[in-house]
Amino acid sequence: MNTQTSPSPQFYLTAPAPCPYLSGEMERKVFTHLVGQRATEMNDLLTQGGFRRSQNIAYRPACESCRACVSVRVLVNEFELSRGFRRVEATNADLVSTVFPAQPSTEQFSLFRHYLDHRHQNGGMSDMSALDYAIMVEDSHVQTRVIEYRLRVPGDGISAQPRGELIAVALSDLMSDGLSMVYSFYNPEMEKRSLGTMMVLDHIRRAKALGLPHVYLGYWVQGSKKMGYKTRFQPQEHLMHQGWTRFPLESEG
């Protein structure tokens, strides 16, 4: 059996399936495997080209009649906190964020299940088991990290293993030109904290500290309420047919 990886990625096309974002639409995806010594390099190139990573697969929409899914990245060096974002940061000033290798934990999975059961009961991930979660976190051939966000307790400011309650988690890829937010989840009962927004703001801060110009937020889907929040992080670029383009366009005001 030949186990050598091909020098060029091989791409495949999925069968049509109902779109999870727009009612009445059908989705198809083109995908390839991210494995071998070139996985990190390919992840960078494909993400910059509008792909997303899920485990060891990079994919992007290839729908026949719809182009609603648009890749979004925040321009880190130009980003400024709005009054609303400052409120989110102030509300979450009692949190400690810690970066770990891409390794799952029972505590993470418990929060993950709590999040799915409250926010995505009928989604494609709704029946994921602890093993499924472990694979989602560990099955990566690129530079992936887990960021945990915990309520601060005495001593957590200097501890490498904070002990406060875990209330949010982000799975992120470190790329040559930015951070890519692969998946994030949080305690759905803490709505007033705006934890989803907080994690994006934290990634922008981390990218800036690392000298990286972008934070990749995945796809924005015009007309989908689930994705509407992504356009709040300005300035940003959308990947259009002519390449990465500032959004909104200057002509749009």
Side-chain angles (χ1 to χ4, degrees):
M1 179 177 178
N2 185 5
T3 59
Q4 293 183 348
T5 58
S6 172
S8 299
Q10 304 297 306
F11 291 91
Y12 307 90
L13 188 65
T14 65
C19 175
Y21 302 112
L22 299 178
S23 177
E25 295 287 349
M26 299 294 288
E27 71 166 0
R28 300 190 77 176
K29 297 175 182 176
V30 60
F31 69 94
T32 188
H33 296 279
L34 290 171
V35 294
Q37 296 180 348
R38 296 187 62 207
T40 296
E41 174 189 355
M42 291 306 304
N43 187 49
D44 279 15
L45 292 173
L46 291 172
T47 300
Q48 292 160 7
F51 281 71
R52 292 287 286 165
R53 186 183 70 79
S54 177
Q55 299 174 38
N56 66 356
I57 290 175
Y59 69 91
R60 68 171 296 173
C63 306
E64 296 178 358
S65 61
C66 179
R67 296 292 183 270
C69 292
V70 179
S71 293
V72 175
R73 67 184 186 188
V74 181
L75 299 175
V76 169
N77 295 327
E78 299 180 53
F79 180 81
E80 294 183 2
L81 290 172
S82 65
R83 182 179 300 177
F85 287 152
R86 289 193 184 95
R87 283 198 296 268
V88 172
E89 287 204 332
T91 300
N92 293 288
D94 59 342
L95 299 187
V96 176
S97 62
T98 311
V99 180
F100 294 102
Q103 297 175 350
S105 70
T106 301
E107 193 177 14
Q108 291 171 16
F109 176 68
S110 178
L111 179 63
F112 177 69
R113 282 288 356 151
H114 187 45
Y115 173 76
L116 291 181
D117 292 343
H118 281 73
R119 300 296 293 269
H120 300 284
Q121 294 180 355
N122 299 317
M125 305 173 74
S126 60
D127 60 349
M128 285 182 64
S129 65
L131 178 59
D132 295 327
Y133 175 75
I135 293 172
M136 182 180 79
V137 174
E138 292 180 323
D139 194 2
S140 170
H141 293 252
V142 302
Q143 297 185 64
T144 303
R145 298 291 183 269
V146 170
I147 306 178
E148 293 187 348
Y149 301 85
R150 295 177 179 271
L151 294 175
R152 187 187 302 273
V153 297
D156 273 356
I158 58 175
S159 173
Q161 294 285 342
R163 296 171 290 114
E165 179 186 354
L166 181 67
I167 66 170
V169 175
L171 185 65
S172 304
D173 288 346
L174 175 62
M175 298 169 44
S176 61
D177 73 328
L179 299 177
S180 177
M181 297 187 69
V182 176
Y183 194 78
S184 59
F185 54 94
Y186 52 86
N187 187 330
E189 297 174 358
M190 297 183 173
E191 291 187 7
K192 293 183 178 180
R193 284 185 173 271
S194 300
L195 292 171
T197 296
M198 179 275 298
M199 284 189 279
V200 176
L201 294 176
D202 182 61
H203 277 71
I204 293 173
R205 178 183 61 79
R206 290 178 180 277
K208 190 169 186 177
L210 292 169
L212 300 173
H214 304 119
V215 170
Y216 290 82
L217 299 182
Y219 299 120
W220 170 64
V221 183
Q222 189 169 12
S224 171
K225 293 183 179 180
K226 294 179 181 179
M227 298 297 184
Y229 74 94
K230 295 186 179 183
T231 57
R232 295 173 52 212
F233 301 91
Q234 297 285 342
Q236 62 182 231
E237 292 179 328
H238 289 189
L239 185 56
M240 313 301 289
H241 66 274
Q242 69 270 34
W244 286 100
T245 305
R246 200 176 184 93
F247 176 88
L249 297 174
E250 293 182 2
S251 61
E252 295 178 354

